[in-house]
Structures are given as C-alpha cells and as structure tokens.
Amino acid sequence: MKTVLIIAGSDPGAGAGLQQDLKTATLLGTYGLTVATALTVQNTQGVQAVHQVPPEVVAAQLKALLDDFPVQAVKIGMLATAATVTAVATMLRPWLEGLWPSPPVILDPVLAAGQGGELLEPAGVEAMVAELFPLATILTPNVPEAARLTGMDIDTPAHLEEAARRLQALGPTWVLATGGHLPGEPVDVLTDGKNAWHLPGKRLAAPHHHGSGCLLATALAAHLAKELSIPEAVNRARELVAEALAHGLPLGHGVGPVNPYAPFAREAARFEVLQTLAEAGAHLVQEDISPLIPEVMSNLAYALPYARGPEDVAAFPGRILKTPTGTHIPLPPQFGASRHLAAIVLTATARRPHLRAALNLKLIPGIAELAPLLHFKAASFDRTLEPPEVKAREGSTLAWGVASVLDTLEPWEPPPDLIYDHGEVGKEPMLRILGETPMQVAEKALALKQALRIQGRV
C-alpha cells in the first residue's frame, strides 16, 4: 500500500487537519502517517486556542517515521510557527535530496482558520516561503492565502493566474490556486510557470465547507503517491472536493465539515439499493397493489445515498403493471429506469436527505380525510399554479410540485408521507408516497389499500 506522510495540526472536530487528512488518505486507498505540529482547540464555530508542539518534537516524529516507513508522498498543512517550519524543512530537505525520484511534496499554506484565527505567525510565513516553497512539488493556496503571500488584490481569474505565477516563481514546481472565494462561478488556476490552465467549477450552496483545503491537498498527495500525473491528480482531487462540498455535514452549530465519504457511500450502496427495491416490489406483487395502480401505471424508485442525478435512482423498467391477474413487474430494477420518479426522489432528497424512496399511485378520493386515520401526513399542490417556464421544460412538473410542498415546511416539521394533485387537462390525478426505504413506502401503500378494503372501496 502506498503511504502519505501528513504533517499538520490536530482538529478535535475532525473536519480539517490531521483527522480530515487521515480520513481522506484512507478513503483513497493509501496509508496515512501523521506528524502533529499543533493541537488546536476548536469546533464548528471557530478556533479558541492553539497549542504548538515543540519543534524538536515535530522533528523527532519526522525522524522516527522517515527512518522506518517508506513514503510515497508528503502533505504539509498547518505549521503554526517559524521554528516548526524550519524543523520540518531541515528534516525533509536532506531526505528528499537523497532519493531519486524524490516523493512529491504537497504544501497547503495554512495561514488562518476559515472562521478566523491566525494559524501561522508572520515570521512563519516568511520562513515557509524561503524554506518550504523550494521543496514543494505543488502549492495549493486559496484566494486569501494567495493574496497575502503576493500582496495582490485578487478579484478575477486573471488576477488569480498572475498570483499563481508569482508564487510558482518562488520555488514550487506547480501551483494550484483555488478560486472558491472569487465572485461568480469559481475558477481554479493550475500553472507550472510556463503554462496556466483555468479550471472552471460550479458554485455550490455549500454552507458546510470546513476542511475543504485540507481535503484537496491530501487527495492530491494520495493520487500522486499512486503515481498519477499532476493534471490527472488535480482533476480527481477537485472532483472529490466538489462532492464533499455538495454533501457537507450539518454537524455542530456553525460551519460543518465537508464529507469526503459521499461518493464512496454512493458506490458501496449500489447492490443494496437494487436488492432492497426488488424485495419491496415483490411485496407489492404478493399483496397485489393493482387496485391502486393508475392508468399510466406505477413505479417504485429508490435513490443511492448522495445521488447526483437520475442515473443514481433505481426503479423498474416497464413500470409496475395492473393486469387482469393482479400486479405484475416485468423486469428487475435498474438505475436510470424512471425519469419521472427520479425527479420526485431527487427533489425530496435535496431537501430531506432521508427521503430516498417514492411510489406513484392513483389519487384516492377523500385522501385528505383518510390519511390522518392512518397517521399519515398528506399535502397537495395545484398543477394550474405551475409557472409557464417550468411547464415548458419536459418532466419538470413533478419536481416543481414536490418542491412547492417541501419548501413550505420549517426545518423541524416532518415531511408529508403523501403528496397529491388533482391533475389537469391531459394529466391524470396522482398520489405519491414518500419514505426512507422502498419497503417503508410499500407498507404505506398497503396500509392505504387495507383502509379502502375496510371501507368497501376496493
């Protein structure tokens, strides 16, 4: 297994620093070795204190590891003091010079915490530029760090490119300057001093972004340890950061941590999603849900955790059919099998991540009165109120309808079990059941059937 030597401070909330670095290295299939440079006292609301590890102890940790372990990449994060910068440089320089090829060094110039608070003293900044920049394979500053290191005002990608070029001239072989702090759509800049590439991204609603810089640098180190090229390592690291930001964890009372596990959780759940969906479908067939199947037929969908789009939502190709002999499902579940149900599920999970399953049924007359008897919460939307621009986009009505219901709720309010509409010209009235799992949704549907049977309506 490839190893990554991580030199950084400790974050007790595990959103950044050594803890985030170690998680990221492990997720990417490498073995993380750690050297602690500082103990921070912090949570999601900010840094309260920093306790530096004595430089001689930092050096001793480095010596112990370098004397014993193979190291395929080095990631340097928070260093806190000029003395620690010098200790790290003094240990790494002769070690790197004695190897050919020397392992890549990824330097994340951690100057301050995202929530405020200095993490490297001014003398340490000067020492880092003088002693560590020349050892760096790739430097990964964000906009505030690049601005402080160059003295520039950075407001555009062009400014960021100029800053990256200036920083590269100070010693690093490459610079990846991240543009998340720029106005508008973010643009990262990668340069080797001769060429510069502008790497566009998508502006995400990411209130929980603590540790994104640590994640990026360690992901680069892990990929470079596995001998990827710099451009490929940059592409893969940026993809992981984008996913981790999109699915940041709302932990604590402040800015929560990024979530690098999201794409791995999604891939790990593929078999379980298909298996669970098949079991719920078989249950609907066995109990015969056909009295509630609409003219357009039904489907049952289940999304992977952290689903990105319809390709991550499984359903039944050919739908769930009403036949003269009862309910029939012609094909096993597949991902991407129902665009309409996927729109419902993706809209629901974007607002309530636990709502990963949905089933459509025909609208039951009197559902508003029946639902409370079953301890179900029901809500409706009116298709006639759909904005023209939404109606003009094929397949967007269902997402709009579900969103119009869920967006009216306070965060603490439980979501509805049932969302229905009365249709319009050419559109059949429809009932959708939401739930955490396909089996939960199936049981809600069968509870409706049983209630209607008791009332003599099926």
Side-chain angles (χ1 to χ4, degrees):
M1 177 176 281
K2 303 294 186 180
T3 61
V4 175
L5 173 58
I6 301 163
I7 305 167
S10 169
D11 174 4
L18 288 173
Q19 291 84 348
Q20 183 66 269
D21 294 341
L22 194 56
K23 285 184 285 188
T24 301
T26 302
L27 285 168
L28 292 174
T30 60
Y31 187 85
L33 306 165
T34 59
V35 171
T37 60
L39 303 177
T40 68
V41 178
Q42 65 175 296
N43 53 27
T44 63
Q45 299 177 78
V47 177
Q48 287 86 51
V50 175
H51 299 273
Q52 294 94 8
V53 174
E56 61 271 21
V57 177
V58 173
Q61 292 177 79
L62 271 169
K63 184 176 188 308
L65 294 178
L66 296 176
D67 285 350
D68 191 33
F69 288 89
V71 174
Q72 278 78 43
V74 180
K75 184 264 180 170
I76 304 174
M78 176 187 175
L79 295 172
T81 68
T84 298
V85 170
T86 298
V88 170
T90 300
M91 291 299 301
L92 288 183
R93 189 180 300 108
W95 174 74
L96 290 167
E97 291 172 350
L99 297 173
W100 183 260
S102 59
V105 175
I106 295 79
L107 177 57
D108 180 14
V110 178
L111 306 183
Q115 298 296 100
E118 188 175 84
L119 297 180
L120 181 60
E121 63 185 9
V125 176
E126 294 181 12
M128 180 175 64
V129 172
E131 300 186 54
L132 288 179
F133 274 31
L135 304 182
T137 306
I138 184 165
L139 181 74
T140 62
N142 59 29
V143 168
E145 290 162 347
R148 181 173 172 186
L149 289 167
T150 62
M152 292 178 56
D153 292 327
I154 302 175
D155 301 311
T156 67
H159 293 162
L160 189 60
E161 177 185 334
E162 176 59 26
R165 288 182 178 276
R166 292 187 189 184
L167 292 172
Q168 192 278 335
L170 295 175
T173 308
W174 294 78
V175 172
L176 174 63
T178 58
H181 292 82
L182 293 175
E185 292 297 294
V187 176
D188 298 341
V189 174
L190 176 66
T191 183
D192 60 0
K194 297 179 181 178
N195 303 295
W197 296 267
H198 287 214
L199 309 175
K202 182 179 179 181
R203 178 67 63 188
L204 300 170
H208 304 295
H209 51 260
H210 180 52
S212 58
C214 299
L215 169 59
L216 175 68
T218 305
L220 282 170
H223 289 310
L224 292 174
K226 294 190 287 186
E227 301 181 1
L228 272 66
S229 67
I230 290 284
E232 183 61 21
V234 167
N235 287 338
R236 293 197 186 187
R238 292 178 72 246
E239 288 172 2
L240 180 58
V241 170
E243 292 243 32
L245 283 168
H247 304 291
L249 300 170
L251 302 175
H253 298 289
V255 177
V258 292
N259 181 12
Y261 183 58
F264 300 91
R266 183 173 58 241
E267 294 308 308
R270 286 191 178 274
F271 175 76
E272 181 270 336
V273 162
L274 292 174
Q275 182 181 49
T276 303
L277 192 54
E279 291 171 355
H283 188 48
L284 291 175
V285 170
Q286 181 179 6
E287 298 298 326
D288 190 16
I289 200 68
S290 61
L292 300 185
I293 294 179
E295 294 302 316
V296 296
M297 302 302 170
S298 294
N299 214 327
L300 176 62
Y302 190 28
L304 291 167
Y306 310 112
R308 297 162 297 183
E311 71 278 6
D312 291 332
V313 182
F316 294 96
R319 307 187 184 187
I320 300 174
L321 307 179
K322 173 173 59 179
T323 73
T325 58
T327 304
H328 176 61
I329 299 179
L331 293 169
Q334 296 178 13
F335 287 101
S338 175
R339 178 170 51 85
H340 290 90
L341 265 291
I344 293 173
V345 173
L346 292 170
T347 301
T349 57
R351 290 153 176 81
R352 302 294 176 97
H354 65 288
L355 294 179
R356 291 168 47 200
L359 169 70
N360 72 300
L361 299 173
K362 70 180 182 181
L363 180 60
I364 300 168
I367 188 63
E369 292 73 34
L370 177 61
L373 301 178
L374 299 172
H375 302 287
F376 292 162
K377 181 179 178 180
S380 66
F381 64 91
D382 186 347
R383 282 180 179 260
T384 65
L385 300 178
E386 182 182 6
E389 64 273 15
V390 175
K391 192 183 294 289
R393 293 197 301 269
E394 177 66 24
S396 60
T397 296
L398 299 181
W400 169 82
V402 172
S404 67
V405 170
L406 296 180
D407 288 346
T408 64
L409 302 177
E410 296 293 338
W412 49 265
E413 287 187 87
D417 303 279
L418 316 172
I419 296 179
Y420 64 93
D421 73 272
H422 292 281
E424 61 177 347
V425 176
K427 300 293 183 180
E428 185 178 4
M430 200 67 62
L431 172 68
R432 296 107 189 154
I433 302 178
L434 302 180
E436 297 183 22
T437 67
M439 194 61 75
Q440 184 188 75
V441 167
E443 291 295 348
K444 291 178 183 180
L446 294 171
L448 286 173
K449 178 190 171 185
Q450 178 63 18
L452 293 175
R453 177 179 292 156
I454 292 172
Q455 294 178 356
R457 296 167 61 184
V458 295

